[in-house]
Every structure is written in C-alpha cells, then in structure tokens.
Amino acid sequence: MSNPNLPPRRLSVAPMLDWTDRHYRYMARQISRHTWLYTEMINAGAVVYGDEARFLLKDECEQPVALQLGGSDPALLAAAAKKAAAYAYDEINLNCGCPSPRVQKGAFGACLMQEADLVADCLNAMQEAAPECAVTVKHRIGVDRQTEYQTVADFVGTLARKTACRTFIVHARNAWLDGLSPKENRDVPPLKYEYVYRLKREFPELEIIINGGITDNEQIAAHLQQVDGVMVGRECYHNPMIMRDWDQRFYGSRLPETTHAELVDRLYRYMAAQIAAGRGTTVRHMARHYLGLMHGLKNARTWRRMLSDAALLKPNRPELILEAWAELAPFVGQAEQ
C-alpha cells in the first residue's frame, strides 16, 4: 500500500524505454526533489530470470521512484514484484499502454485493456507479493478504433472493483495495435483529455493521473484543476530543466531551485563515482541523458556537440562535463541564438 510519508503523485516523469534509466533518474532527482520518477518498462521475465541488479539497481536519492513492469502472467509478475520490493521501490506499475508489436507478441501492454479480468489477476498477484508497495496501472483510453468513453470507464471500473489498485495513470490517446508504429502511437491518435477528466468525476475515490502531449507548466496547472496528477514524458527528457520550478510551484517547497552550475557539479561527481565503481559504466552511458540540460541557453549547441562527440567521449573522462560547462557558464542568463 502507499506510504503516507511520500509526496503525492502531483507530478511524475513517464516511463520511457531506453531513456528513463538510473542515470537519467539521478539527474532528474537533482532538479526536483518531489516529482515521482519511473523506470523504463522492464519485462517481468527479465527481472525474474535475468540479472536482477542490472534491471533493478537504483540510487538511494531516487525516491519516490516506481518500477514499471511489462507482462501478463500473474505468477511471473508477482515474482518480479517481490524482487522489486526488496530493492525498496515505492510503487510497482503494470504497463497496459505500450502498443509495440514486440509487446503485443508477448500478449501484454495495450492489448491487456481488452482483458480486464486478467489485469485484475495480475494486479492482485503483484500486491500480494509486495504488500508494502503501491501497485498501480498505466493504460490508454482504448484500443484501435474504440472511440467511446465507456471502454476506458469499464476497464477502470472493473479494476477498481476487483483489486486494491487506486492509482490509474491514463494516457489520453487510443493505442492503435495495427497500422501505426510505437512512435506514431504517441502522436497520431487524437488526445481526449475530457475522457480522463470524466473518469475523475465518475470515480472520485480513485487517484487519476493524466498523461499525453503535455509540454509546459501552464498546461500542467490547467490539468491539475481536473485530475489528481500530471505525468510528463518527452518534454522532461529533451528539456529536463522544465522540472526546475515544480517543487515550488506544485509542491509548495520553499527550498531554492537548483542552478545549472550546481547541477553540473553534482553530475560530475556522480559520473566520477559511477566510473570508479567499475561496473562498466561509461561517460557516454550517462552524458547522452544530459544533452537537453542547457535547452534555451546561449551556446547550448556547443554543450550538445561536446557531450555527443565520439572522440571526446572515448577517453571516458568525467571532466568532459566540466569542460562543456565552461563553454556555457559565461553566457548563463542569455537566450540561445
């Protein structure tokens, strides 16, 4: 069950495959202390049968942090949830929204929206295996050409009735399982925010979080008038400093915002420690997540070029981030040209 000492899920960063790994999450936590962070989707079988540390390792600072699992076998998901609880994740989220063909072949992701009873079995098995964790679900508003509101209302209603799940993260688009790529599925199906708002009105006892196409703080503030929380995806990756004023604006924090200089210093020390740990982590593994950090600043192009230059990355020197910052520091406060 949810820990009452954790901040509410007013803001969260979406699980994004190949993007929200532990290095990205460490950086995000330096920008916002209260925003919920999510892992990329991890197949339950990989956690159970693979190198669990590779998939579940995280930094202590990441809390509040959720693990997103993919799967449709209740026993396998339960075993993965039990392992996740041992790594002190605050939440375990079941993916019922991914539309990729690979996920469909495994009979999980968005196609699970057509099998609410199976999803209920999965959530119940996960909750029983990890009673100290919040077990939640992320889903779409429908599959393929299902356009009626009742589709998502029936799905949520069934799970609310048959499970202890009380947090529903709703990507306000359909998932088209045939004819669109995963990338197109993030943009082509129309957004229907009003469906998510209606869910909150009809299920006031549930925590309803909206996701999809949200790119700025004004949009976030408007959504928070209608639902309990907002999950932001790609904007948080390409422009991470969008999160810089979230603690003050949306959580009432009085602590000062993190400056670019403070962030670079923390990331330098983090990179040095990760390389020294000897687990094979390289500067390239970490720096790829930092390319958008200087978004909007003058000379940001130089920062991006240096942190993605193969020749500069090859020596595996964490000092590279300090050298890139030195090219920008004199211009902080000036807009990108």
Side-chain angles (χ1 to χ4, degrees):
M1 295 289 105
S2 295
N3 182 341
N5 298 318
L6 293 169
R9 294 175 184 78
R10 198 164 292 134
L11 274 299
S12 53
V13 178
M16 292 178 281
L17 203 58
D18 198 39
W19 286 1
T20 51
D21 66 10
R22 62 191 179 91
H23 305 307
Y24 172 84
R25 298 193 307 268
Y26 179 89
M27 175 192 71
R29 180 57 69 226
Q30 307 314 304
I31 301 170
S32 170
R33 299 171 181 87
H34 301 304
T35 298
W36 280 71
L37 303 176
Y38 282 71
T39 70
E40 50 194 327
M41 184 186 70
I42 299 171
N43 188 305
V47 173
V48 175
Y49 301 120
D51 177 1
E52 67 180 61
R54 176 186 160 203
F55 296 109
L56 298 180
L57 195 67
K58 60 180 177 57
D59 193 279
E60 287 181 8
C61 80
E62 288 183 36
Q63 258 78 10
V65 60
L67 171 73
Q68 188 185 67
L69 290 175
S72 58
D73 179 336
L76 195 59
L77 284 162
K82 187 171 184 178
K83 287 179 179 288
Y87 279 77
Y89 280 89
D90 301 299
E91 172 189 326
I92 305 168
N93 178 266
L94 179 63
N95 182 310
C96 292
C98 181
S100 81
R102 184 166 56 88
V103 165
Q104 290 180 54
K105 192 175 179 183
F108 59 97
C111 57
L112 282 176
M113 285 198 68
Q114 298 169 320
E115 300 188 61
D117 289 340
L118 174 58
V119 174
D121 291 342
C122 292
L123 294 174
N124 286 332
M126 292 161 68
Q127 190 69 80
E128 188 174 344
E132 64 273 43
C133 291
V135 172
T136 69
V137 61
K138 186 173 189 291
H139 57 93
R140 297 280 183 132
I141 56 172
V143 174
D144 293 325
R145 302 309 192 265
Q146 297 170 330
T147 56
E148 62 281 359
Y149 165 76
Q150 205 55 44
T151 298
V152 69
D154 289 346
F155 180 76
V156 170
T158 297
L159 298 183
R161 190 172 68 253
K162 293 190 171 186
T163 77
C165 179
R166 289 297 173 266
T167 300
F168 293 78
I169 303 165
V170 191
H171 187 155
R173 301 181 199 270
N174 275 38
W176 291 0
L177 302 181
D178 187 29
L180 290 183
S181 69
K183 181 178 185 300
E184 289 169 329
N185 257 294
R186 293 192 293 268
D187 296 304
V188 175
L191 285 160
K192 295 184 178 179
Y193 293 139
E194 66 274 13
Y195 281 16
V196 189
Y197 297 166
R198 186 173 170 186
L199 279 174
K200 181 59 191 176
R201 292 196 303 270
E202 294 187 6
F203 298 93
E205 73 283 5
L206 301 180
E207 184 177 37
I208 303 294
I209 296 168
I210 198 167
N211 170 232
I214 300 161
T215 58
D216 64 48
N217 289 341
E218 284 61 46
Q219 293 172 7
I220 290 170
H223 286 308
L224 287 174
Q225 299 297 311
Q226 306 285 340
V227 292
D228 300 298
V230 175
M231 175 176 275
V232 181
R234 285 166 287 170
E235 190 67 22
C236 284
Y237 192 83
H238 296 304
N239 178 23
M241 290 302 254
I242 187 180
M243 297 182 275
R244 185 159 60 158
D245 68 348
W246 284 5
D247 289 352
Q248 291 186 6
R249 182 166 179 175
F250 299 113
Y251 284 95
S253 172
R254 297 189 176 184
L255 294 173
E257 296 173 358
T258 303
T259 67
H260 287 88
E262 290 169 336
L263 184 56
V264 168
D265 180 62
R266 291 176 196 170
L267 292 177
Y268 163 68
R269 287 185 276 123
Y270 173 78
M271 294 170 84
Q274 290 295 309
I275 292 168
R279 285 191 295 263
T281 303
T282 66
V283 166
R284 182 179 60 82
H285 289 143
M286 297 173 278
R288 70 189 184 96
H289 299 303
Y290 307 159
L291 299 182
L293 269 179
M294 304 302 163
H295 179 81
L297 295 185
K298 188 173 181 180
N299 236 23
R301 193 175 294 124
T302 300
W303 167 272
R304 294 191 295 270
R305 179 185 57 74
M306 290 181 69
L307 292 187
S308 58
D309 185 307
L312 294 177
L313 291 167
K314 189 174 181 181
N316 210 33
R317 297 170 52 254
E319 289 78 14
L320 177 61
I321 194 172
L322 300 179
E323 293 158 7
W325 172 241
E327 298 293 323
L328 269 77
F331 306 108
V332 170
Q334 299 181 37
E336 186 172 10
Q337 299 299 307

Short mmCIF file of all heavy atoms in Angstrom, two decimals, residues 33 47 58 82 124 141-142 159 216 226:
data_model
loop_
_atom_site.label_atom_id
_atom_site.label_comp_id
_atom_site.label_asym_id
_atom_site.label_seq_id
_atom_site.Cartn_x
_atom_site.Cartn_y
_atom_site.Cartn_z
N ARG A 33 12.97 17.53 -6.17
CA ARG A 33 13.05 16.61 -5.02
C ARG A 33 11.77 15.79 -4.85
O ARG A 33 11.77 14.75 -4.21
CB ARG A 33 13.32 17.40 -3.73
CG ARG A 33 14.62 18.17 -3.73
CD ARG A 33 14.71 19.11 -2.53
NE ARG A 33 15.93 19.88 -2.53
CZ ARG A 33 16.09 21.05 -3.14
NH1 ARG A 33 15.09 21.57 -3.84
NH2 ARG A 33 17.23 21.70 -3.10
N VAL A 47 13.45 -9.59 -15.11
CA VAL A 47 13.75 -9.39 -13.68
C VAL A 47 13.89 -10.73 -12.97
O VAL A 47 14.80 -10.93 -12.16
CB VAL A 47 12.62 -8.56 -13.02
CG1 VAL A 47 12.82 -8.48 -11.51
CG2 VAL A 47 12.56 -7.16 -13.63
N LYS A 58 19.31 1.04 -8.36
CA LYS A 58 18.97 2.47 -8.39
C LYS A 58 19.76 3.17 -7.30
O LYS A 58 20.36 2.53 -6.44
CB LYS A 58 17.47 2.68 -8.18
CG LYS A 58 16.93 2.15 -6.87
CD LYS A 58 15.43 2.40 -6.76
CE LYS A 58 14.86 1.81 -5.48
NZ LYS A 58 15.50 2.30 -4.24
N LYS A 82 8.02 -9.01 -6.07
CA LYS A 82 8.69 -9.36 -4.80
C LYS A 82 10.15 -8.92 -4.84
O LYS A 82 10.68 -8.37 -3.86
CB LYS A 82 8.59 -10.86 -4.56
CG LYS A 82 9.10 -11.29 -3.19
CD LYS A 82 8.78 -12.75 -2.92
CE LYS A 82 9.21 -13.14 -1.51
NZ LYS A 82 8.86 -14.54 -1.20
N ASN A 124 -3.60 -8.15 -8.47
CA ASN A 124 -3.78 -8.80 -7.17
C ASN A 124 -2.57 -9.65 -6.79
O ASN A 124 -2.14 -9.66 -5.63
CB ASN A 124 -5.06 -9.64 -7.17
CG ASN A 124 -6.31 -8.79 -7.12
OD1 ASN A 124 -6.30 -7.68 -6.59
ND2 ASN A 124 -7.40 -9.28 -7.69
N ILE A 141 -6.83 5.09 -23.36
CA ILE A 141 -8.28 5.27 -23.22
C ILE A 141 -9.05 4.26 -24.07
O ILE A 141 -10.27 4.16 -23.98
CB ILE A 141 -8.73 6.70 -23.57
CG1 ILE A 141 -8.28 7.09 -24.99
CG2 ILE A 141 -8.20 7.69 -22.54
CD1 ILE A 141 -8.85 8.41 -25.46
N GLY A 142 -8.31 3.49 -24.88
CA GLY A 142 -8.95 2.48 -25.71
C GLY A 142 -7.94 1.85 -26.64
O GLY A 142 -6.77 2.25 -26.69
N LEU A 159 -11.30 -2.88 -12.60
CA LEU A 159 -10.10 -2.98 -11.74
C LEU A 159 -10.36 -2.38 -10.36
O LEU A 159 -9.89 -2.90 -9.35
CB LEU A 159 -8.92 -2.28 -12.41
CG LEU A 159 -8.49 -2.88 -13.76
CD1 LEU A 159 -7.26 -2.15 -14.29
CD2 LEU A 159 -8.21 -4.37 -13.64
N ASP A 216 4.20 22.03 -21.08
CA ASP A 216 4.61 23.22 -20.32
C ASP A 216 3.83 23.32 -19.01
O ASP A 216 2.86 22.61 -18.78
CB ASP A 216 4.49 24.49 -21.16
CG ASP A 216 3.05 24.82 -21.57
OD1 ASP A 216 2.15 24.78 -20.69
OD2 ASP A 216 2.83 25.12 -22.76
N GLN A 226 -8.44 19.52 -12.81
CA GLN A 226 -9.41 18.48 -13.17
C GLN A 226 -9.08 17.10 -12.62
O GLN A 226 -9.98 16.28 -12.41
CB GLN A 226 -9.49 18.37 -14.71
CG GLN A 226 -9.79 19.67 -15.42
CD GLN A 226 -11.24 20.11 -15.30
OE1 GLN A 226 -12.11 19.31 -15.01
NE2 GLN A 226 -11.49 21.40 -15.51
#
